[in-house]
Amino acid sequence: MNPCKIGIAILPDGSLRILNASKSDEGKYVCQGENVFGSAEIIASVSVKEPTRIELTPKRTELTVGESIVLNCKAIHDASLDVTFYWTLKGQPIDFEKEGGHFESIRAVS
């Protein structure tokens, strides 16, 4: 850890503040404290993950009754994390198992 990095500071209470974290900030941080009666330390493990972004296409479209459409939803996310997709319509979860329903969940194989 580089203590001179902009955004890293030791606060008056001894806490370490990291602003605008990046992958280079990952690792095991050791906090040590000592006084005339002795010393103590504790380790904190910090992992930094890429934020999840969702892309949905098309964002807006017009259809004629009876036509079909595929709404493509793609997640850009940290490779170490899984993503679960949830779809709602008018604030209600879509039931893909509903008898006679006309919604289909298509899973892309990557």
XYZ file of all heavy atoms in Angstrom:
840
model
N 0.838 -1.178 0.000
C 0.000 0.000 0.000
C 0.879 1.236 0.000
O 1.857 1.322 0.711
C -0.895 -0.024 1.247
C -1.800 1.159 1.337
S -2.711 1.171 2.905
C -1.449 1.672 4.030
N 0.500 2.192 -0.801
C 1.248 3.438 -0.887
C 0.532 4.494 -0.049
O -0.502 5.001 -0.445
C 1.327 3.873 -2.359
C 2.087 5.173 -2.550
O 2.515 5.785 -1.576
N 2.218 5.577 -3.787
N 1.069 4.881 1.133
C 0.380 5.819 2.002
C 0.284 7.218 1.414
O -0.473 8.036 1.883
C 1.211 5.813 3.286
C 2.541 5.276 2.902
C 2.331 4.402 1.702
N 1.025 7.502 0.347
C 0.983 8.830 -0.257
C -0.077 8.923 -1.356
O -0.275 9.973 -1.934
C 2.347 9.181 -0.845
S 3.622 9.307 0.428
N -0.737 7.811 -1.686
C -1.754 7.814 -2.727
C -2.868 8.780 -2.361
O -3.348 8.804 -1.237
C -2.325 6.403 -2.909
C -3.455 6.348 -3.910
C -4.055 4.971 -3.999
C -5.298 5.029 -4.863
N -6.000 3.793 -4.928
N -3.269 9.577 -3.327
C -4.379 10.500 -3.101
C -5.626 9.670 -2.804
O -5.920 8.707 -3.495
C -4.603 11.387 -4.343
C -3.387 12.277 -4.565
C -5.867 12.214 -4.208
C -3.420 13.094 -5.824
N -6.361 10.019 -1.778
C -7.583 9.296 -1.442
C -7.404 8.319 -0.292
O -8.365 7.748 0.180
N -6.174 8.083 0.148
C -5.938 7.228 1.303
C -5.466 8.115 2.446
O -4.537 8.903 2.284
C -4.890 6.134 1.013
C -5.443 5.140 -0.009
C -4.500 5.414 2.292
C -4.532 3.974 -0.293
N -6.141 7.994 3.582
C -5.773 8.836 4.725
C -6.026 8.091 6.021
O -6.928 7.262 6.102
C -6.585 10.132 4.712
N -5.206 8.359 7.020
C -5.452 7.849 8.374
C -6.224 8.926 9.117
O -5.771 10.068 9.232
C -4.136 7.514 9.094
C -3.394 6.403 8.340
C -4.429 7.077 10.531
C -2.037 6.066 8.927
N -7.411 8.575 9.595
C -8.278 9.513 10.295
C -7.831 9.664 11.746
O -7.094 8.812 12.267
C -9.723 9.029 10.214
C -10.258 8.821 8.784
C -11.691 8.319 8.816
C -10.147 10.087 7.960
N -8.264 10.731 12.419
C -7.836 10.966 13.809
C -8.104 9.796 14.763
O -7.353 9.588 15.707
C -8.634 12.206 14.221
C -8.904 12.920 12.935
C -9.078 11.834 11.904
N -9.159 8.991 14.498
C -9.456 7.857 15.380
C -8.644 6.616 15.021
O -8.834 5.548 15.586
C -10.945 7.546 15.380
C -11.451 6.981 14.056
O -10.663 6.902 13.083
O -12.637 6.617 13.991
N -7.742 6.729 14.021
C -6.907 5.604 13.621
C -7.451 4.811 12.446
O -6.780 3.921 11.936
N -8.664 5.118 12.006
C -9.255 4.416 10.859
C -8.521 4.777 9.576
O -7.943 5.863 9.463
C -10.735 4.792 10.706
O -11.458 4.444 11.855
N -8.562 3.860 8.615
C -7.967 4.101 7.308
C -9.098 4.378 6.326
O -10.032 3.592 6.207
C -7.165 2.880 6.847
C -6.469 2.997 5.500
C -5.319 3.995 5.579
C -5.956 1.640 5.055
N -9.023 5.511 5.624
C -10.048 5.858 4.632
C -9.456 5.685 3.239
O -8.355 6.171 2.957
C -10.500 7.309 4.808
C -11.585 7.701 3.787
C -11.968 9.146 3.903
N -10.801 9.962 3.539
C -10.681 11.240 3.852
N -11.604 11.852 4.556
N -9.608 11.910 3.481
N -10.188 4.948 2.375
C -9.777 4.759 0.983
C -10.880 5.340 0.112
O -12.011 4.853 0.141
C -9.587 3.261 0.646
C -8.574 2.618 1.589
C -9.185 3.093 -0.810
C -8.481 1.113 1.479
N -10.565 6.374 -0.635
C -11.526 6.974 -1.555
C -11.244 6.483 -2.970
O -10.096 6.300 -3.358
C -11.433 8.500 -1.520
C -11.792 9.172 -0.198
C -11.589 10.679 -0.311
C -13.230 8.861 0.190
N -12.311 6.286 -3.746
C -12.178 5.905 -5.150
C -11.334 4.637 -5.288
O -10.317 4.622 -5.988
C -11.584 7.061 -5.961
C -11.776 6.879 -7.441
O -12.644 6.124 -7.876
N -10.968 7.555 -8.232
N -11.760 3.570 -4.638
C -11.010 2.307 -4.618
C -10.791 1.758 -6.029
O -11.632 1.905 -6.912
C -11.763 1.276 -3.780
N -9.658 1.103 -6.201
C -9.335 0.434 -7.456
C -8.807 -0.963 -7.128
O -8.559 -1.294 -5.977
C -8.297 1.240 -8.243
O -7.066 1.257 -7.542
N -8.612 -1.766 -8.178
C -8.117 -3.132 -7.986
C -6.772 -3.141 -7.251
O -6.465 -4.071 -6.518
C -7.967 -3.846 -9.332
C -9.273 -4.328 -9.919
C -9.774 -5.513 -9.149
C -10.870 -6.237 -9.894
N -11.395 -7.362 -9.132
N -5.970 -2.101 -7.424
C -4.669 -2.064 -6.761
C -4.801 -1.907 -5.246
O -3.833 -2.098 -4.513
C -3.805 -0.936 -7.336
O -4.378 0.322 -7.046
N -6.002 -1.562 -4.751
C -6.222 -1.422 -3.310
C -6.601 -2.747 -2.644
O -6.766 -2.807 -1.433
C -7.334 -0.392 -3.033
C -6.919 1.003 -3.471
O -5.773 1.387 -3.169
O -7.728 1.698 -4.104
N -6.744 -3.822 -3.441
C -7.078 -5.128 -2.868
C -5.932 -5.645 -2.013
O -4.766 -5.375 -2.302
C -7.358 -6.150 -3.974
C -8.704 -6.037 -4.598
C -9.007 -7.211 -5.528
O -8.068 -7.797 -6.094
O -10.191 -7.522 -5.671
N -6.281 -6.395 -0.982
C -5.244 -7.039 -0.194
C -5.598 -7.117 1.275
O -6.715 -6.810 1.684
N -4.650 -7.571 2.061
C -4.826 -7.682 3.508
C -4.223 -6.453 4.175
O -3.043 -6.172 4.002
C -4.165 -8.952 4.036
C -4.856 -10.218 3.573
C -4.268 -11.425 4.271
C -4.787 -12.711 3.696
N -6.146 -13.005 3.929
N -5.067 -5.739 4.879
C -4.626 -4.550 5.606
C -4.448 -4.917 7.073
O -5.295 -5.601 7.649
C -5.664 -3.429 5.476
C -5.711 -2.811 4.098
C -6.393 -3.425 3.055
C -5.067 -1.607 3.850
C -6.436 -2.859 1.788
C -5.099 -1.024 2.588
C -5.791 -1.663 1.567
O -5.819 -1.099 0.316
N -3.353 -4.489 7.655
C -3.064 -4.772 9.060
C -3.084 -3.451 9.818
O -2.390 -2.498 9.458
C -1.689 -5.453 9.234
C -1.404 -5.707 10.711
C -1.619 -6.742 8.426
N -3.908 -3.397 10.864
C -3.936 -2.235 11.746
C -3.224 -2.629 13.040
O -3.592 -3.610 13.685
C -5.374 -1.820 12.049
S -5.469 -0.441 13.214
N -2.209 -1.864 13.386
C -1.460 -2.119 14.611
C -1.584 -0.911 15.526
O -1.528 0.230 15.070
C 0.020 -2.357 14.309
C 0.261 -3.588 13.458
C 1.709 -3.704 13.026
O 2.262 -2.767 12.462
N 2.309 -4.858 13.278
N -1.786 -1.179 16.780
C -1.839 -0.114 17.778
C -0.944 -0.484 18.951
O -0.838 -1.661 19.313
N -0.298 0.499 19.486
C 0.554 0.196 20.638
C 0.599 1.384 21.592
O 0.384 2.523 21.213
C 1.954 -0.215 20.215
C 2.698 0.760 19.345
C 4.054 0.212 18.918
O 4.104 -0.864 18.291
O 5.056 0.887 19.224
N 0.830 1.045 22.859
C 1.045 2.054 23.896
C 2.013 1.468 24.917
O 2.589 0.396 24.674
C -0.288 2.500 24.524
C -1.035 1.360 25.180
O -0.456 0.333 25.560
N -2.343 1.526 25.313
N 2.173 2.108 26.045
C 3.152 1.641 27.031
C 2.806 0.271 27.607
O 3.662 -0.401 28.160
C 3.312 2.667 28.189
C 3.901 3.966 27.650
C 1.998 2.915 28.897
N 1.572 -0.157 27.491
C 1.168 -1.444 28.058
C 1.245 -2.603 27.069
O 0.972 -3.735 27.415
C -0.248 -1.349 28.624
C -0.348 -0.370 29.755
C -0.968 0.856 29.584
C 0.211 -0.663 30.996
C -1.047 1.764 30.630
C 0.124 0.239 32.038
C -0.494 1.455 31.859
N 1.550 -2.310 25.817
C 1.658 -3.396 24.847
C 1.163 -2.971 23.478
O 0.990 -1.784 23.189
N 0.913 -3.984 22.655
C 0.451 -3.715 21.294
C -0.561 -4.775 20.878
O -0.654 -5.839 21.479
C 1.635 -3.695 20.320
O 2.224 -4.977 20.247
N -1.311 -4.447 19.847
C -2.297 -5.375 19.288
C -2.413 -5.092 17.803
O -2.064 -4.005 17.329
C -3.644 -5.202 19.974
N -2.908 -6.086 17.058
C -3.121 -5.878 15.632
C -4.305 -6.700 15.165
O -4.698 -7.675 15.810
C -1.880 -6.219 14.809
C -1.536 -7.683 14.743
C -0.313 -7.941 13.865
O 0.654 -7.146 13.935
O -0.337 -8.921 13.112
N -4.868 -6.261 14.069
C -5.984 -6.986 13.454
C -5.841 -6.850 11.946
O -5.292 -5.873 11.444
C -7.345 -6.456 13.956
C -8.461 -7.405 13.541
C -7.603 -5.033 13.473
C -9.750 -7.188 14.298
N -6.325 -7.865 11.221
C -6.201 -7.896 9.767
C -7.581 -7.768 9.141
O -8.538 -8.415 9.582
C -5.539 -9.212 9.298
C -4.128 -9.326 9.880
C -5.517 -9.293 7.777
C -3.461 -10.667 9.625
N -7.682 -6.950 8.110
C -8.908 -6.830 7.311
C -8.557 -7.186 5.876
O -7.558 -6.705 5.336
C -9.466 -5.413 7.379
N -9.369 -8.036 5.257
C -9.161 -8.414 3.868
C -10.126 -7.607 2.999
O -11.323 -7.592 3.237
C -9.424 -9.912 3.698
O -9.211 -10.293 2.366
N -9.578 -6.915 2.000
C -10.384 -6.048 1.139
C -10.343 -6.578 -0.293
O -9.270 -6.798 -0.853
C -9.867 -4.592 1.173
C -10.612 -3.725 0.163
C -9.981 -4.014 2.574
N -11.538 -6.808 -0.877
C -11.673 -7.176 -2.283
C -12.408 -6.043 -2.994
O -13.370 -5.503 -2.466
C -12.486 -8.468 -2.439
O -11.827 -9.539 -1.812
N -11.957 -5.707 -4.190
C -12.588 -4.642 -4.969
C -13.202 -5.281 -6.208
O -12.511 -5.952 -6.968
C -11.567 -3.553 -5.360
C -12.229 -2.462 -6.187
C -10.903 -2.967 -4.115
N -14.505 -5.102 -6.399
C -15.235 -5.703 -7.524
C -15.647 -4.627 -8.528
O -15.898 -3.486 -8.165
C -16.502 -6.420 -7.026
C -16.250 -7.466 -5.961
C -15.441 -8.610 -6.486
C -15.255 -9.685 -5.434
N -14.355 -10.731 -5.839
N -15.710 -5.029 -9.789
C -16.205 -4.128 -10.822
C -17.712 -3.941 -10.615
O -18.415 -4.892 -10.261
C -15.966 -4.715 -12.216
C -14.508 -4.808 -12.598
C -13.842 -3.459 -12.771
O -14.548 -2.480 -13.120
O -12.631 -3.372 -12.555
N -18.244 -2.735 -10.839
C -19.676 -2.527 -10.667
C -20.462 -3.253 -11.761
O -19.961 -3.448 -12.874
C -19.845 -1.009 -10.789
C -18.655 -0.552 -11.571
C -17.549 -1.518 -11.243
N -21.682 -3.666 -11.435
C -22.553 -4.324 -12.404
C -23.326 -3.273 -13.184
O -23.874 -2.345 -12.606
C -23.530 -5.275 -11.682
O -22.770 -6.257 -10.985
C -24.465 -5.962 -12.662
N -23.326 -3.434 -14.511
C -24.117 -2.568 -15.381
C -25.044 -3.445 -16.211
O -24.682 -4.558 -16.592
C -23.212 -1.753 -16.307
C -22.314 -0.778 -15.578
C -21.530 0.146 -16.512
N -21.210 -0.343 -17.827
C -20.099 -1.011 -18.154
N -19.214 -1.308 -17.230
N -19.875 -1.393 -19.383
N -26.225 -2.945 -16.498
C -27.197 -3.681 -17.299
C -27.443 -2.919 -18.593
O -27.661 -1.713 -18.580
C -28.534 -3.850 -16.538
C -28.335 -4.614 -15.236
C -29.579 -4.530 -17.418
C -27.993 -6.073 -15.393
N -27.419 -3.647 -19.711
C -27.770 -3.083 -21.007
C -29.027 -3.786 -21.487
O -29.117 -5.014 -21.443
C -26.642 -3.290 -22.017
C -25.390 -2.505 -21.703
C -24.275 -2.747 -22.716
O -24.443 -3.585 -23.631
O -23.225 -2.108 -22.569
N -30.013 -3.017 -21.930
C -31.281 -3.568 -22.409
C -31.565 -2.976 -23.779
O -31.578 -1.761 -23.951
C -32.411 -3.222 -21.440
C -33.817 -3.695 -21.801
C -33.868 -5.218 -21.893
C -34.826 -3.208 -20.773
N -31.765 -3.855 -24.768
C -32.106 -3.396 -26.112
C -33.262 -4.207 -26.665
O -33.348 -5.398 -26.387
C -30.897 -3.522 -27.060
O -30.443 -4.865 -27.056
C -29.778 -2.600 -26.670
N -34.152 -3.632 -27.432
C -34.274 -2.192 -27.635
C -34.873 -1.531 -26.394
O -35.580 -2.170 -25.621
C -35.227 -2.074 -28.827
C -36.071 -3.307 -28.747
C -35.184 -4.381 -28.173
N -34.578 -0.240 -26.203
C -35.109 0.463 -25.036
C -36.550 0.902 -25.255
O -37.301 1.082 -24.307
C -34.228 1.667 -24.708
C -32.877 1.245 -24.189
C -32.050 2.412 -23.749
C -30.740 1.846 -23.247
N -29.751 2.763 -22.918
N -36.910 1.109 -26.497
C -38.274 1.526 -26.812
C -38.622 0.997 -28.194
O -37.815 1.065 -29.109
C -38.359 3.050 -26.782
C -39.748 3.580 -26.962
C -39.742 5.102 -26.923
N -41.083 5.575 -27.097
C -41.796 6.129 -26.142
N -41.274 6.289 -24.954
N -43.015 6.534 -26.357
N -39.822 0.457 -28.321
C -40.238 -0.065 -29.623
C -41.761 -0.045 -29.705
O -42.444 0.042 -28.684
C -39.692 -1.488 -29.851
O -39.903 -1.862 -31.200
C -40.342 -2.494 -28.932
N -42.268 -0.111 -30.913
C -43.708 -0.207 -31.140
C -43.982 -1.488 -31.902
O -43.274 -1.809 -32.858
C -44.217 1.009 -31.927
C -44.135 2.303 -31.143
C -44.693 3.487 -31.917
O -45.303 3.284 -32.994
O -44.514 4.613 -31.438
N -45.006 -2.206 -31.474
C -45.384 -3.470 -32.111
C -46.846 -3.412 -32.521
O -47.642 -2.680 -31.934
C -45.223 -4.642 -31.141
C -43.852 -4.931 -30.558
C -43.950 -6.033 -29.518
C -42.897 -5.345 -31.652
N -47.190 -4.247 -33.481
C -48.583 -4.458 -33.848
C -49.066 -5.695 -33.094
O -48.292 -6.632 -32.869
C -48.702 -4.696 -35.371
O -48.141 -3.574 -36.046
C -50.138 -4.888 -35.793
N -50.330 -5.692 -32.674
C -50.900 -6.839 -31.976
C -50.589 -8.112 -32.758
O -50.750 -8.165 -33.975
C -52.440 -6.671 -31.803
C -53.066 -7.954 -31.280
C -52.738 -5.508 -30.874
N -50.090 -9.127 -32.042
C -49.765 -10.409 -32.662
C -48.295 -10.558 -33.016
O -47.836 -11.667 -33.280
N -47.542 -9.472 -33.043
C -46.114 -9.562 -33.332
C -45.355 -10.037 -32.094
O -45.873 -10.006 -30.987
C -45.561 -8.202 -33.773
C -45.989 -7.770 -35.152
C -45.323 -6.469 -35.568
O -45.215 -5.544 -34.740
O -44.899 -6.389 -36.736
N -44.115 -10.443 -32.301
C -43.247 -10.878 -31.207
C -42.021 -9.981 -31.139
O -41.644 -9.349 -32.119
C -42.794 -12.330 -31.419
O -43.906 -13.191 -31.458
N -41.408 -9.965 -29.976
C -40.180 -9.190 -29.784
C -39.304 -9.906 -28.770
O -39.798 -10.619 -27.888
C -40.482 -7.755 -29.301
C -39.191 -6.918 -29.273
C -41.147 -7.757 -27.944
C -39.409 -5.448 -29.025
N -38.003 -9.732 -28.902
C -37.051 -10.209 -27.907
C -36.388 -8.984 -27.292
O -35.821 -8.159 -28.015
C -35.981 -11.137 -28.525
C -34.906 -11.476 -27.496
C -36.618 -12.400 -29.079
N -36.494 -8.841 -25.982
C -35.797 -7.787 -25.261
C -34.493 -8.382 -24.750
O -34.499 -9.307 -23.940
C -36.646 -7.265 -24.099
C -37.972 -6.621 -24.487
C -38.762 -6.245 -23.243
C -37.746 -5.404 -25.366
N -33.378 -7.877 -25.246
C -32.067 -8.405 -24.880
C -31.541 -7.678 -23.646
O -31.359 -6.466 -23.671
C -31.077 -8.234 -26.036
C -31.437 -9.088 -27.222
O -31.507 -10.294 -27.119
N -31.708 -8.450 -28.345
N -31.290 -8.435 -22.587
C -30.770 -7.883 -21.342
C -29.391 -8.491 -21.111
O -29.250 -9.707 -21.014
C -31.709 -8.215 -20.187
S -31.276 -7.399 -18.655
N -28.385 -7.628 -21.047
C -27.013 -8.098 -20.892
C -26.415 -7.447 -19.653
O -26.564 -6.247 -19.442
C -26.204 -7.716 -22.134
C -24.750 -8.110 -22.075
C -24.029 -7.671 -23.337
C -22.547 -7.979 -23.251
N -21.806 -7.451 -24.386
N -25.731 -8.237 -18.846
C -25.069 -7.713 -17.650
C -23.566 -7.671 -17.885
O -22.971 -8.657 -18.311
C -25.381 -8.582 -16.444
N -22.972 -6.530 -17.616
C -21.520 -6.397 -17.612
C -21.140 -6.355 -16.142
O -21.588 -5.462 -15.411
C -21.069 -5.117 -18.333
C -21.448 -5.170 -19.823
C -19.564 -4.932 -18.211
C -22.766 -4.616 -20.133
N -20.374 -7.358 -15.683
C -20.130 -7.490 -14.250
C -18.767 -8.104 -13.979
O -18.113 -8.625 -14.879
C -21.233 -8.335 -13.602
C -21.318 -9.725 -14.162
N -20.664 -10.791 -13.601
C -21.971 -10.221 -15.239
C -20.912 -11.884 -14.302
N -21.712 -11.562 -15.304
N -18.372 -8.030 -12.723
C -17.116 -8.629 -12.284
C -17.178 -10.135 -12.524
O -18.163 -10.785 -12.177
C -16.903 -8.329 -10.788
C -15.484 -8.616 -10.357
O -15.145 -9.811 -10.236
O -14.726 -7.660 -10.142
N -16.141 -10.677 -13.129
C -16.119 -12.102 -13.483
C -16.218 -13.017 -12.271
O -16.626 -14.176 -12.397
C -14.854 -12.415 -14.282
N -15.890 -12.535 -11.086
C -15.941 -13.389 -9.894
C -17.345 -13.469 -9.298
O -17.558 -14.191 -8.328
C -14.967 -12.878 -8.834
O -15.396 -11.621 -8.330
N -18.296 -12.741 -9.871
C -19.660 -12.707 -9.335
C -20.656 -13.252 -10.350
O -20.491 -13.067 -11.550
C -20.059 -11.268 -8.983
C -19.166 -10.538 -7.986
C -19.592 -9.086 -7.881
C -19.229 -11.220 -6.634
N -21.699 -13.911 -9.860
C -22.801 -14.346 -10.706
C -23.867 -13.261 -10.719
O -23.966 -12.455 -9.800
C -23.420 -15.650 -10.171
C -22.480 -16.835 -10.319
O -21.689 -16.843 -11.281
O -22.547 -17.745 -9.483
N -24.678 -13.258 -11.769
C -25.780 -12.304 -11.879
C -27.073 -13.076 -12.065
O -27.125 -14.033 -12.840
C -25.571 -11.338 -13.071
C -26.789 -10.453 -13.269
C -24.337 -10.492 -12.861
N -28.107 -12.678 -11.352
C -29.442 -13.251 -11.514
C -30.339 -12.163 -12.087
O -30.315 -11.020 -11.618
C -29.997 -13.730 -10.158
O -29.083 -14.683 -9.606
C -31.362 -14.375 -10.320
N -31.122 -12.509 -13.098
C -32.003 -11.546 -13.738
C -33.424 -11.713 -13.220
O -33.903 -12.839 -13.036
C -32.003 -11.743 -15.259
C -30.674 -11.443 -15.891
C -29.748 -12.445 -16.117
C -30.359 -10.150 -16.266
C -28.526 -12.165 -16.701
C -29.132 -9.855 -16.841
C -28.216 -10.860 -17.066
N -34.109 -10.587 -12.994
C -35.509 -10.565 -12.595
C -36.238 -9.621 -13.546
O -35.773 -8.508 -13.805
C -35.669 -10.055 -11.154
C -34.974 -10.913 -10.128
C -33.700 -10.591 -9.681
C -35.587 -12.055 -9.615
C -33.050 -11.391 -8.756
C -34.941 -12.854 -8.687
C -33.669 -12.512 -8.260
O -33.024 -13.300 -7.344
N -37.357 -10.064 -14.061
C -38.170 -9.238 -14.951
C -39.488 -8.907 -14.267
O -40.095 -9.762 -13.633
C -38.466 -9.978 -16.255
C -37.304 -10.038 -17.207
C -36.331 -10.993 -17.259
C -37.003 -9.105 -18.237
N -35.437 -10.703 -18.256
C -35.836 -9.556 -18.883
C -37.609 -7.924 -18.691
C -35.259 -8.875 -19.956
C -37.026 -7.252 -19.764
C -35.870 -7.724 -20.378
N -39.912 -7.654 -14.424
C -41.224 -7.234 -13.926
C -41.955 -6.492 -15.036
O -41.341 -5.951 -15.958
C -41.104 -6.299 -12.697
O -40.397 -5.117 -13.069
C -40.384 -6.992 -11.544
N -43.270 -6.478 -14.939
C -44.124 -5.712 -15.844
C -45.116 -4.959 -14.986
O -45.830 -5.580 -14.182
C -44.844 -6.635 -16.832
C -45.876 -5.976 -17.743
C -45.214 -4.937 -18.657
C -46.612 -7.028 -18.567
N -45.143 -3.647 -15.112
C -46.027 -2.790 -14.314
C -45.832 -3.034 -12.823
O -46.775 -3.083 -12.048
C -47.488 -2.993 -14.716
C -47.763 -2.649 -16.164
C -49.198 -2.928 -16.553
C -49.376 -2.676 -18.049
N -50.686 -3.081 -18.520
N -44.557 -3.266 -12.436
C -44.218 -3.430 -11.031
C -44.440 -4.819 -10.464
O -44.159 -5.068 -9.297
N -44.919 -5.755 -11.279
C -45.186 -7.119 -10.817
C -44.224 -8.099 -11.475
O -43.950 -7.992 -12.679
C -46.634 -7.529 -11.152
C -47.696 -6.663 -10.492
C -47.607 -6.739 -8.980
O -47.479 -7.817 -8.410
N -47.661 -5.590 -8.324
N -43.720 -9.090 -10.719
C -42.837 -10.098 -11.317
C -43.553 -10.849 -12.435
O -44.739 -11.150 -12.329
C -42.527 -11.053 -10.156
C -42.880 -10.294 -8.917
C -43.952 -9.320 -9.293
N -42.829 -11.126 -13.512
C -43.409 -11.892 -14.627
C -43.335 -13.367 -14.286
O -42.299 -13.876 -13.868
C -42.644 -11.598 -15.938
C -42.849 -10.133 -16.326
C -43.099 -12.537 -17.046
C -42.047 -9.700 -17.543
N -44.471 -14.067 -14.452
C -44.555 -15.510 -14.184
C -44.341 -16.255 -15.497
O -45.246 -16.362 -16.322
C -45.916 -15.849 -13.575
C -46.045 -17.322 -13.217
O -45.087 -18.090 -13.454
O -47.117 -17.707 -12.715
N -43.111 -16.761 -15.699
C -42.789 -17.453 -16.938
C -43.395 -18.857 -16.991
O -43.431 -19.477 -18.045
C -41.265 -17.542 -17.118
C -40.619 -16.205 -17.313
C -39.972 -15.562 -16.268
C -40.673 -15.566 -18.540
C -39.386 -14.326 -16.448
C -40.088 -14.326 -18.729
C -39.445 -13.694 -17.675
N -43.872 -19.369 -15.853
C -44.446 -20.712 -15.793
C -45.971 -20.702 -15.911
O -46.599 -21.758 -15.911
C -44.062 -21.384 -14.460
C -42.555 -21.413 -14.178
C -41.770 -22.163 -15.238
O -42.266 -23.183 -15.742
O -40.664 -21.693 -15.580
N -46.564 -19.529 -16.027
C -48.022 -19.390 -16.055
C -48.608 -20.140 -17.242
O -48.155 -20.008 -18.380
C -48.399 -17.909 -16.129
C -49.878 -17.653 -16.132
C -50.134 -16.151 -16.161
C -51.612 -15.860 -16.252
N -51.866 -14.422 -16.356
N -49.631 -20.948 -16.968
C -50.331 -21.714 -18.007
C -50.957 -20.745 -19.007
O -51.675 -19.825 -18.636
C -51.418 -22.589 -17.367
C -52.089 -23.559 -18.318
C -51.195 -24.706 -18.727
O -50.297 -25.081 -17.938
O -51.368 -25.215 -19.844
N -50.660 -20.930 -20.283
C -51.226 -20.064 -21.316
C -50.538 -18.716 -21.421
O -50.984 -17.844 -22.163
N -49.444 -18.535 -20.680
C -48.717 -17.269 -20.722
C -47.985 -17.100 -22.044
O -47.776 -18.051 -22.782
N -47.606 -15.871 -22.330
C -46.919 -15.625 -23.588
C -45.537 -15.001 -23.399
O -44.979 -14.420 -24.312
C -47.783 -14.764 -24.525
C -48.187 -13.457 -23.911
N -49.332 -13.329 -23.185
C -47.615 -12.241 -23.939
C -49.449 -12.068 -22.766
N -48.416 -11.393 -23.222
N -44.982 -15.155 -22.185
C -43.625 -14.700 -21.922
C -42.697 -15.892 -21.916
O -43.036 -16.971 -21.418
C -43.531 -13.998 -20.572
C -44.280 -12.692 -20.516
C -45.473 -12.597 -19.828
C -43.774 -11.573 -21.150
C -46.165 -11.401 -19.771
C -44.453 -10.376 -21.095
C -45.663 -10.277 -20.407
N -41.490 -15.713 -22.448
C -40.499 -16.782 -22.486
C -39.160 -16.201 -22.028
O -38.739 -15.146 -22.496
C -40.369 -17.350 -23.907
C -39.374 -18.449 -24.032
C -39.244 -18.951 -25.472
O -39.740 -18.282 -26.402
O -38.638 -20.007 -25.645
N -38.497 -16.896 -21.128
C -37.172 -16.497 -20.682
C -36.153 -17.274 -21.501
O -36.138 -18.506 -21.481
C -36.999 -16.800 -19.175
O -35.704 -16.468 -18.767
N -35.312 -16.561 -22.220
C -34.297 -17.187 -23.079
C -32.938 -16.955 -22.422
O -32.560 -15.834 -22.167
C -34.305 -16.566 -24.482
C -35.691 -16.695 -25.109
C -33.230 -17.202 -25.360
C -35.865 -15.864 -26.381
N -32.227 -18.035 -22.148
C -30.897 -17.939 -21.524
C -29.842 -18.164 -22.594
O -29.833 -19.197 -23.247
C -30.726 -18.992 -20.432
C -31.796 -18.958 -19.368
C -31.386 -18.063 -18.272
N -32.453 -18.062 -17.266
C -32.606 -17.131 -16.379
N -31.791 -16.115 -16.358
N -33.575 -17.176 -15.507
N -28.966 -17.195 -22.754
C -27.868 -17.326 -23.703
C -26.777 -18.189 -23.105
O -26.485 -18.080 -21.915
C -27.314 -15.963 -24.084
N -26.195 -19.042 -23.891
C -25.071 -19.868 -23.451
C -23.800 -19.178 -23.894
O -23.603 -18.902 -25.071
C -25.147 -21.291 -24.042
C -23.952 -22.107 -23.612
C -26.451 -21.958 -23.647
N -22.922 -18.846 -22.901
C -21.676 -18.154 -23.269
C -20.481 -19.027 -23.024
O -20.521 -20.058 -22.476
C -21.553 -16.869 -22.476
O -21.772 -17.065 -21.109
